[in-house]
């Protein structure tokens, strides 16, 4: 990001900065997300650069902080590593840096425990599927949709019996 000195009196810059701050006031955004939202508001590239630089300078934008918050959010929602990685990538948070952060944040044993808890919650709402095989297939599809690997799913379903 180049340090473009913004004309703080430029109404286009002020309007774009105001929009960015309003968006960041609601929740953390990645640099890529905020850039896309400003593009959708027809903000010019030089103004976007200036706004992003100012938000970074003020520490209102921090991709690592945003990634950590998203990882925790999707863990609370009962999602596995594949789903979390997908959600991060959708927000422009991909690459080795974020892959390492995800690996540190969700260990294999923690992912299995997360899958177990998610499965227990699903069992409460699943009802009594009379046929064991159909029930196991439904649970398997559910966990796969939540982003758990086949190995984790197999371990959790094996424990379930």
């Amino acid at each position: 990001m180049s340090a473009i000195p913004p004309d703080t009196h430029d109404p286009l810059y002020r309007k774009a900065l105001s929009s960015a701050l309003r968006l960041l006031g609601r929740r953390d955004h990645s640099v890529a997300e905020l850039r896309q939202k400003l593009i959708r508001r027809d903000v010019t590239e030089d103004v976007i650069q200036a706004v992003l630089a100012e938000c970074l300078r003020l520490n209102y934008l921090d991709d690592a902080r945003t990634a950590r918050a998203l990882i925790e959010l999707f863990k609370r929602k009962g999602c596995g590593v594949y789903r979390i990685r997908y959600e991060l990538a959708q927000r422009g948070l991909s690459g080795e840096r974020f892959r390492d952060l995800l690996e540190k944040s969700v260990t294999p044993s923690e992912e299995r425990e997360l899958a177990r808890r998610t499965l227990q919650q699903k069992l409460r709402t699943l009802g009594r599927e009379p046929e064991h095989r159909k029930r196991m297939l439904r649970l398997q599809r559910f966990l796969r949709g939540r982003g758990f690997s086949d190995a984790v799913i197999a371990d959790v379903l094996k424990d379930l019996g």
Side-chain angles (χ1 to χ4, degrees):
M1 193 106 2
S2 62
I4 302 169
D7 176 7
T8 57
H9 299 292
D10 177 7
L12 296 175
Y13 169 77
R14 293 178 70 126
K15 183 178 178 187
L17 181 61
S18 177
S19 290
L21 294 177
R22 205 171 32 260
L23 289 165
L24 292 168
R26 292 185 191 122
R27 69 169 177 85
D28 278 337
H29 286 68
S30 68
V31 172
E33 272 184 303
L34 189 56
R35 172 185 293 285
Q36 286 299 350
K37 288 185 178 186
L38 291 173
I39 288 170
R40 278 188 246 136
R41 286 175 167 76
D42 293 326
V43 178
T44 62
E45 184 58 33
D46 58 330
V47 173
I48 290 173
Q49 289 289 331
V51 168
L52 293 176
E54 182 66 7
C55 289
L56 286 165
R57 185 186 72 76
L58 294 169
N59 199 30
Y60 292 160
L61 266 180
D62 182 347
D63 280 352
R65 180 181 64 220
T66 301
R68 284 190 298 273
L70 284 168
I71 290 168
E72 290 306 312
L73 171 69
F74 285 99
K75 280 170 50 176
R76 280 192 309 275
K77 287 184 172 187
C79 296
V81 171
Y82 290 156
R83 172 74 181 275
I84 296 171
R85 187 177 299 131
Y86 170 80
E87 294 293 343
L88 290 173
Q90 289 297 106
R91 290 162 175 83
L93 302 170
S94 58
E96 190 173 324
R97 174 181 171 204
F98 299 106
R99 198 170 30 253
D100 292 345
L101 182 62
L102 180 56
E103 285 176 12
K104 290 176 186 170
S105 299
V106 185
T107 63
S109 61
E110 185 179 14
E111 186 179 20
R112 280 182 177 74
E113 182 54 35
L114 189 55
R116 280 186 191 92
R117 281 198 315 260
T118 303
L119 186 63
Q120 291 302 320
Q121 289 174 342
K122 181 64 176 175
L123 286 172
R124 287 187 214 125
T125 62
L126 185 63
R128 299 303 305 172
E129 172 67 54
E131 195 176 324
H132 180 73
R133 185 178 171 333
K134 279 186 180 178
R135 183 174 185 215
M136 294 308 259
L137 286 173
R138 285 180 71 184
L139 294 172
Q140 182 183 28
R141 276 194 308 272
F142 170 75
L143 289 173
R144 191 171 287 129
R146 285 293 180 99
F148 292 101
S149 69
D150 288 338
V152 168
I153 293 169
D155 284 350
V156 172
L157 290 179
K158 183 180 72 178
D159 291 347
L160 183 64

